[in-house]
Amino acid sequence: MLIASYNPKQTGDILVVILGEDAKEQKVEYKDSVVRISDENSDRVTGFNFLSASESLPRLKDVDGKVDLTQDDLNSLNEVLKNNGLLDTLELDEDPKFVVGYVKSVKEHPKSDHLKITETEIDNGKALQIVSGSPNMQENIKVVVAKVGAMMPDGLIIWPGELKGEESIGMICSGRELLIKNAPNRPGALILPNDYQEVGEAFDFAKSETLFTK
């Protein structure tokens, strides 16, 4: 997992890199221009804050929000880690986090009158249990799935979780949550046309601009 964001108006010239969920007991180490965040008990690294980030990555001056890091970016950041005495290495994550999914089955949530438990197929035929509150949820539809490790347009990060005691791995998205142009401002999963894209493919955000027309 590799999630990066840069919000200079809110946090200054700091690149935040997230590698995993926060640990219950965190260890925070300050190494000159890098802050290393890890699990106090296992030393599992959960993230870094790169200070004065635009000095290492000048292209950040044109960014505000989520950053899709390239291998060249990581080479620069790994050099920063090395120069700050850290042995950690960042690796490129090319796994798409927003994919076309197929809802194979839907059943009622035993502890909720509005939640549904879905079995939703994603890439490579893998099926996930995803709990959804979408009022239009049904079987045999194509949807957009935000997988674990996805950062939503509003900054929300998708982690594994539970909804009222039922496991939910990922999220089935609405058009408005994805900030798709002209998407209706109401709850409900974005149901894709059957011939839109193949199940498991990375969701084409550029193509989605034609999904809703006024």
Side-chain angles (χ1 to χ4, degrees):
M1 179 184 301
L2 180 69
I3 305 168
S5 65
Y6 183 74
N7 301 99
K9 292 181 180 179
Q10 296 182 9
T11 59
D13 190 13
I14 299 174
L15 177 70
V16 177
V17 176
I18 300 171
L19 303 177
E21 287 188 272
D22 289 341
K24 291 183 179 180
E25 297 182 29
Q26 291 195 141
K27 180 181 179 181
V28 180
E29 303 170 81
Y30 293 86
K31 300 284 186 177
D32 295 327
S33 62
V34 179
V35 180
R36 182 182 189 266
I37 305 166
S38 62
D39 186 316
E40 178 73 43
N41 299 311
S42 68
D43 200 41
R44 173 181 62 89
V45 180
T46 57
F48 294 98
N49 291 341
F50 289 88
L51 314 181
S52 303
S54 63
E55 295 180 9
S56 302
L57 300 181
R59 76 178 185 89
L60 290 178
K61 294 177 180 179
D62 298 321
V63 176
D64 186 3
K66 183 176 180 292
V67 183
D68 293 318
L69 294 173
T70 66
Q71 186 60 59
D72 286 342
D73 293 334
L74 294 183
N75 292 341
S76 298
L77 294 175
N78 284 331
E79 189 67 21
V80 173
L81 293 175
K82 180 181 177 181
N83 291 339
N84 281 270
L86 294 169
L87 300 178
D88 308 285
T89 302
L90 297 173
E91 297 182 359
L92 190 65
D93 182 1
E94 297 183 288
D95 179 44
K97 295 300 185 287
F98 293 91
V99 299
V100 176
Y102 177 74
V103 180
K104 299 172 63 176
S105 68
V106 178
K107 62 182 181 180
E108 300 294 327
H109 192 297
K111 297 181 180 178
S112 173
D113 60 1
H114 73 281
L115 294 176
K116 301 287 192 302
I117 301 172
T118 78
E119 181 186 10
T120 300
E121 182 181 339
I122 55 167
D123 38 343
N124 298 316
K126 181 180 180 181
L128 302 176
Q129 177 168 295
I130 301 176
V131 178
S132 173
S134 296
N136 61 341
M137 186 51 58
Q138 56 191 287
E139 296 180 353
N140 303 319
I141 57 173
K142 283 185 176 180
V143 294
V144 181
V145 175
K147 295 162 56 177
V148 169
M151 176 181 279
M152 299 295 291
D154 66 358
L156 173 71
I157 297 175
I158 305 300
W159 301 114
E162 291 186 355
L163 285 174
K164 293 187 178 292
E166 294 291 335
E167 181 182 62
S168 187
I169 309 299
M171 185 174 81
I172 295 174
C173 305
S174 69
R176 66 174 181 173
E177 288 169 330
L178 297 173
L179 298 185
I180 293 176
K181 183 179 179 180
N182 297 328
N185 187 26
R186 60 174 183 268
L190 170 59
I191 300 177
L192 299 172
N194 286 331
D195 60 353
Y196 187 75
Q197 284 184 261
E198 294 299 317
V199 174
E201 290 184 348
F203 178 63
D204 190 334
F205 278 90
K207 184 179 178 180
S208 72
E209 294 293 310
T210 64
L211 282 172
F212 301 100
T213 56
K214 289 187 176 180

